[in-house]
Amino acid sequence: MSALDSALHQLAEAVKQLGLDDGLHDMLATPRRSMQVAVPLRRDDGTLQVLAGYRVQHNLSRGPAKGGVRFHPDTDLDEVRALAMWMTWKCALIGIPYGGAKGGVAVDPRLLSRNELERVTRRYASEIMPIIGPEKDIPAPDVGTDEQTMAWMMDTYSAHKGYTVTGVVTGKPVSVGGSEGRGGATSKGVMFSTFFALREAGVDHRGATVAVQGFGKVGGLAAQYLHDAGCTVVAVSDVKGGVYNPKGLNPAALLKHLRSGAESVVGYPGTDTITNEQLLELDVDVLVPAALEGVIHEENADRVLAKFIIEGANGPTTPDADAILEQRKAVVVPDILANSGGVAVSYFEWVQDLQAYFWSEDEVNDRLRALMESAYDGVSALSAERGVSLRTAAQMIGVGRVADAHRTRGLYP
Ligand code: NAD
């Protein structure tokens, strides 16, 4: 099942639970704007390569569109559409005044030099410029992009405008209008979601065993924060494979290892090598999928033994797998809740940029925790009240709020 199939399936379930009519369902399933652009890149060796770039604004009924930019070789329009739709429900669920968007370029950033990456980023930013802006659509980092990518996008947009516009993207370095606490925000949110889910089940998080798939921006710091909070992180992985130590890994040391030039976590001293598939099937308390979508599916779901699955990634569990996990009574904290810390602090960053007044890291973290706790409590209460999964409850709240905005605004003309 593709990411778009999963997203549409989840939407249909929420629409059914909410009793929305077919017209509104159609409206919510259809992106408002899909833009495909050519991104010509002059390689360092002088040759020219034309890459495909995308920006999809799924919904604009509650405010400007918001969502990350992905640089990955498999990115295509359908994937971006799915990711944009999830952003719409996520922003509505946590109550921030945005619609959902997503963008991407079909490219493997690991195969580009820094100069090539900068050229791809600047050309992509200028191609999508007609539809982005602080009051229109605000990109952020996602897979394969980072705060440097955002600094180049902000600079390109500002150069075209003729003045500095910090609020056009979020996830920027603090030195150019970024927010304190944005770097680790998604991971902090994953940690809070883990705490809330375990607390609700009466399980102490201290000593809980954790496996994290995808040791990138989200998974790397989620592993570190959970370890620092007393969990035992027994396995982590990246695109090349995973490492396992039943006594526990030291994520901070692993992150340092990567920062000092190692290409993968695989081969780290004192660990056994495992595959990404084996990592998903470890008998741990908590599994954090934090890489790509569709990794827990019909074929492997019955071998996923974790009691709590905290979705750092967007769309890691297909609807077929959800049904299998539900039967097994595994608790799945869904992506639009579990990884919403990133967009929450992106919202804080945008607010700070618009006001040109910046907050302390403690203030950011306190507001993040409060926002996520209130979203989690709302989802958990609705799940209990209606006897539906946390995912369906989260989707119902998100989709319901967007549907309300459509009804209240009415249809033009
Ligand atoms: P990233 O590029 O920083 O890290 C991705 C990690 O996944 C890397 O370790 C990479 O090696 C690994 N990976 C890639 N392909 C893989 C594969 N096929 N199997 C196993 N591992 C693989 O990206 P990120 O920003 O950490 O994003 C990870 C996930 O979290 C994505 O689903 C993204 O949409 C989601 N997300 C990110 C943010 C954010 O703020 N960055 C916010 C919300 C959700």
Side-chain angles (χ1 to χ4, degrees), residues 301-302 304-307 309 323-330:
D302 59 354
V304 172
L305 303 176
K307 295 161 205 74
I309 296 159
I324 296 168
L325 294 170
E326 209 174 332
Q327 258 184 357
R328 199 167 60 61
K329 306 226 177 311

Side-chain angles (χ1 to χ4, degrees), residues 21 33 41 44 48 61-62 74 102 162 184 211 217 237 264 274 316 321 326 333 360 363 393 402-403 405:
D21 64 49
R33 255 182 221 130
L41 163 68
D44 290 344
L48 183 74
S61 60
R62 300 179 62 262
D74 298 336
K102 206 80 179 193
K217 293 187 297 297
S237 70
S264 170
I274 56 171
E326 209 174 332
V333 182
S360 71
E363 192 169 355
V402 178

Side-chain angles (χ1 to χ4, degrees), residues 21 72 119 153 170 188 190 210 235 284 289 298 301 317 378 407:
D21 64 49
H72 191 279
R119 290 197 288 277
M153 286 189 75
T170 58
K188 276 223 170 73
V190 167
V210 179
V284 286
E298 195 178 10
T317 313
R407 279 200 217 93

Side-chain angles (χ1 to χ4, degrees), residues 191-228:
M191 176 186 72
F192 292 146
S193 302
T194 309
F195 291 170
F196 301 152
L198 267 62
R199 185 175 70 192
E200 196 165 30
V203 177
D204 190 347
H205 71 263
R206 283 164 302 184
T209 52
V210 179
V212 179
Q213 184 192 49
F215 201 65
K217 293 187 297 297
V218 176
L221 285 178
Q224 186 186 324
Y225 295 154
L226 287 166
H227 169 272
D228 293 350

Side-chain angles (χ1 to χ4, degrees), residues 70 72 83 90 102 141-144 182 186 213-219 237-239 276 290-293 312-314 339 342:
R70 178 172 290 196
H72 191 279
L83 292 163
K90 191 185 301 182
K102 206 80 179 193
D142 191 73
V143 174
R182 173 60 182 91
T186 312
Q213 184 192 49
F215 201 65
K217 293 187 297 297
V218 176
S237 70
D238 56 38
V239 67
N276 265 293
L292 295 176
E293 52 272 9
N314 286 304
N339 71 35

Side-chain angles (χ1 to χ4, degrees), residues 261-286:
E263 276 196 7
S264 170
V265 293
V266 175
Y268 188 74
T271 63
D272 295 332
T273 300
I274 56 171
T275 64
N276 265 293
E277 291 71 31
Q278 286 170 323
L279 180 141
L280 294 173
E281 297 170 15
L282 288 173
D283 190 3
V284 286
D285 298 311
V286 178

